[in-house]
Amino acid sequence: MSTSRSLISTSLVFLAFGSTSASTVRAQYTPIPYSWDAAFTNDEVAIIRAAMDKVHSLFRDPRVARITRGRYKYASVSNGNWRASGLKYQRGMAVGDYLFHQLAALRSVRFPHVRIKAYHSTGNDWGRANTDRVQLRFSRGRATVSGGFEIELNRYWLGSRGQGSDTNQWAGVIAHEMLHNLGHLHPVRGKVDDEFYRQHQINVFDAAVSANGGGIDGTACHVCGSAEGIDSGSSPAPGLRVAQEFQPVRVFANRNHGHTLRLPAGTYEVLPSGTWSYSRNTRWVGADGDPYKSNTGGTSYPSARFGELLLISDGVWSKYERGRTLYVRRSLTLLMNDRPREYGDNVGYLDVVLRRLERR
Ligand SMILES: [Zn+2]
């Protein structure tokens, strides 16, 4: 019963957005194997099954991947998962690319089992999941997969009135939690009206699945109870050496667009020195920013400290971490974190040395 209902809604979506027919998409991929806790009621299971019917095709739908690629602003992955994939130190690989390699591989490998567990919380979180339960490994042009998905859905919301009964919304939640299992992160305590939270890759993907791969304007992503950090990026790379060291770049604190560099593609190490101040009368701080001033919001990068050095690599934002490397395809912008309209009273500068690294 749920299968036929889902087929109808899927074909309506394909009519509306004009792509391949539902049947060819269905035929393209083997069904995602999944199971659910005995704790769920029959009504809840019906929602899960209808949602999984959508996840089955949308998780592997190139349109969903394309929308995500075009819309995300922040990307954050678990360092362990990314490192183990074998892609991290590959030439031309950026944090933001990882998801798309994973999604492409999951279209062809045996899809791991998805175990769906129940929990109960009156908070505003709809789901939660641990990171790094599923590992893809890429070697000599081949992808292999290990582990299994394990996600939790909040029964407090499952089947509740309004969006809680909307299987599209639950498809988005399930996809979101599956991406956590694949190593993807977002800020802790995200809120659906928080642009910083919404614009993380995992939440853009969530929203694109919820919208059936159509336009995602106005579609809320979901609050998730998983606890993560931001932008694990990378730590010093074993087996790399300095290929090129650039003259120091002077990054002035009072430039609200920072300093943008065109660079040869490669993996870079960022070495800042000096102090600057995010307000003429406050303490001077280094690239790590001010640990004593709480950031109550409104800064260029919401989870970074005041005065922290921000790195914008080909449009993807992250914050400076000592020993971190990042991949730059074409351009890198260096910028102090401050409220966008309050750069005028900043003083000082950092001198930043960039080193391009390459394999030994
Ligand atoms: Zn989450």
Side-chain angles (χ1 to χ4, degrees):
M1 192 184 78
S2 64
T3 305
S4 62
R5 189 175 54 199
S6 138
L7 268 176
I8 290 163
S9 65
T10 316
S11 30
L12 284 177
V13 165
F14 283 121
L15 278 179
F17 297 102
S19 183
T20 38
S21 76
S23 57
T24 60
V25 168
R26 293 205 143 249
Q28 219 170 326
Y29 309 111
T30 53
I32 294 175
Y34 66 100
S35 59
W36 57 87
D37 262 8
F40 289 114
T41 65
N42 287 346
D43 288 349
E44 289 166 349
V45 169
I47 293 173
I48 291 170
R49 293 176 70 121
M52 281 304 295
D53 274 347
K54 295 168 198 289
V55 170
H56 164 67
S57 55
L58 291 170
F59 200 88
R60 293 171 284 188
D61 190 331
R63 293 174 313 160
V64 172
R66 216 158 37 233
I67 290 167
T68 307
R69 197 188 265 286
R71 298 293 287 267
Y72 81 92
K73 186 166 172 188
Y74 309 99
S76 182
V77 300
S78 126
N79 203 29
N81 197 290
W82 194 27
R83 190 190 292 264
S85 74
L87 291 181
K88 182 174 165 184
Y89 300 121
Q90 197 161 300
R91 190 179 292 276
M93 193 61 56
V95 180
D97 296 329
Y98 186 38
L99 171 64
F100 305 103
H101 287 276
Q102 290 174 308
L103 293 174
L106 285 167
R107 290 180 196 123
S108 56
V109 299
R110 172 193 62 80
F111 204 98
H113 185 91
V114 182
R115 179 158 178 229
I116 302 172
K117 295 165 69 175
Y119 77 104
H120 190 279
S121 159
T122 56
N124 55 3
D125 47 307
W126 284 36
R128 62 190 189 195
N130 289 323
T131 49
D132 299 346
R133 296 199 69 93
V134 178
Q135 182 70 57
L136 284 151
R137 287 188 174 77
F138 299 84
S139 173
R140 288 187 286 275
R142 258 192 79 234
T144 53
V145 66
S146 60
F149 292 95
E150 187 177 298
I151 66 170
E152 295 183 64
L153 302 181
N154 187 355
R155 293 184 61 201
Y156 180 73
W157 293 109
L158 189 61
S160 68
R161 262 183 239 182
Q163 292 202 330
S165 301
D166 181 344
T167 56
N168 289 325
Q169 300 301 323
W170 286 103
V173 173
I174 290 168
H176 173 130
E177 305 307 336
M178 287 167 70
L179 291 199
H180 280 313
N181 284 173
L182 285 162
H184 297 271
L185 308 172
H186 57 63
V188 184
R189 285 196 298 276
K191 290 183 298 218
V192 291
D193 58 352
D194 173 351
E195 284 300 302
F196 182 56
Y197 181 74
R198 291 170 61 99
Q199 290 172 357
H200 269 73
Q201 215 169 38
I202 183 171
N203 286 321
V204 177
F205 189 79
D206 173 341
V209 168
S210 292
N212 268 311
I216 63 171
D217 282 337
T219 304
C221 62
H222 302 99
V223 174
C224 164
S226 296
E228 294 99 335
I230 281 292
D231 204 30
S232 48
S234 51
S235 49
L240 293 181
R241 66 177 184 86
V242 177
Q244 192 176 7
E245 181 166 314
F246 293 80
Q247 290 296 314
V249 178
R250 187 151 288 185
V251 183
F252 287 94
N254 64 356
R255 302 226 337 226
N256 62 348
H257 295 295
H259 190 105
T260 298
L261 300 152
R262 296 260 150 203
L263 293 167
T267 300
Y268 283 83
E269 189 177 11
V270 178
L271 304 163
S273 61
T275 53
W276 54 11
S277 169
Y278 55 85
S279 171
R280 208 181 308 280
N281 301 313
T282 58
R283 285 163 18 86
W284 287 65
V285 298
D288 293 331
D290 187 349
Y292 299 108
K293 180 176 168 72
S294 68
N295 183 352
T296 52
T299 61
S300 298
Y301 194 105
S303 79
R305 292 168 172 167
F306 275 91
E308 195 159 1
L309 176 63
L310 304 178
L311 313 168
I312 308 161
S313 166
D314 302 295
V316 177
W317 294 56
S318 59
K319 56 190 182 184
Y320 167 73
E321 282 168 44
R322 196 178 305 275
R324 175 183 195 279
T325 59
L326 82 166
Y327 186 79
V328 178
R329 196 170 282 134
R330 269 191 296 276
S331 76
L332 177 67
T333 298
L334 304 161
L335 169 71
M336 178 197 257
N337 190 41
D338 196 0
R339 295 201 178 95
R341 292 206 186 87
E342 297 180 4
Y343 280 84
D345 66 347
N346 297 354
V347 285
Y349 55 82
L350 299 183
D351 283 326
V352 180
V353 171
L354 294 170
R355 285 176 175 165
R356 189 167 58 79
L357 307 174
E358 65 182 23
R359 275 178 194 285
R360 280 181 199 285

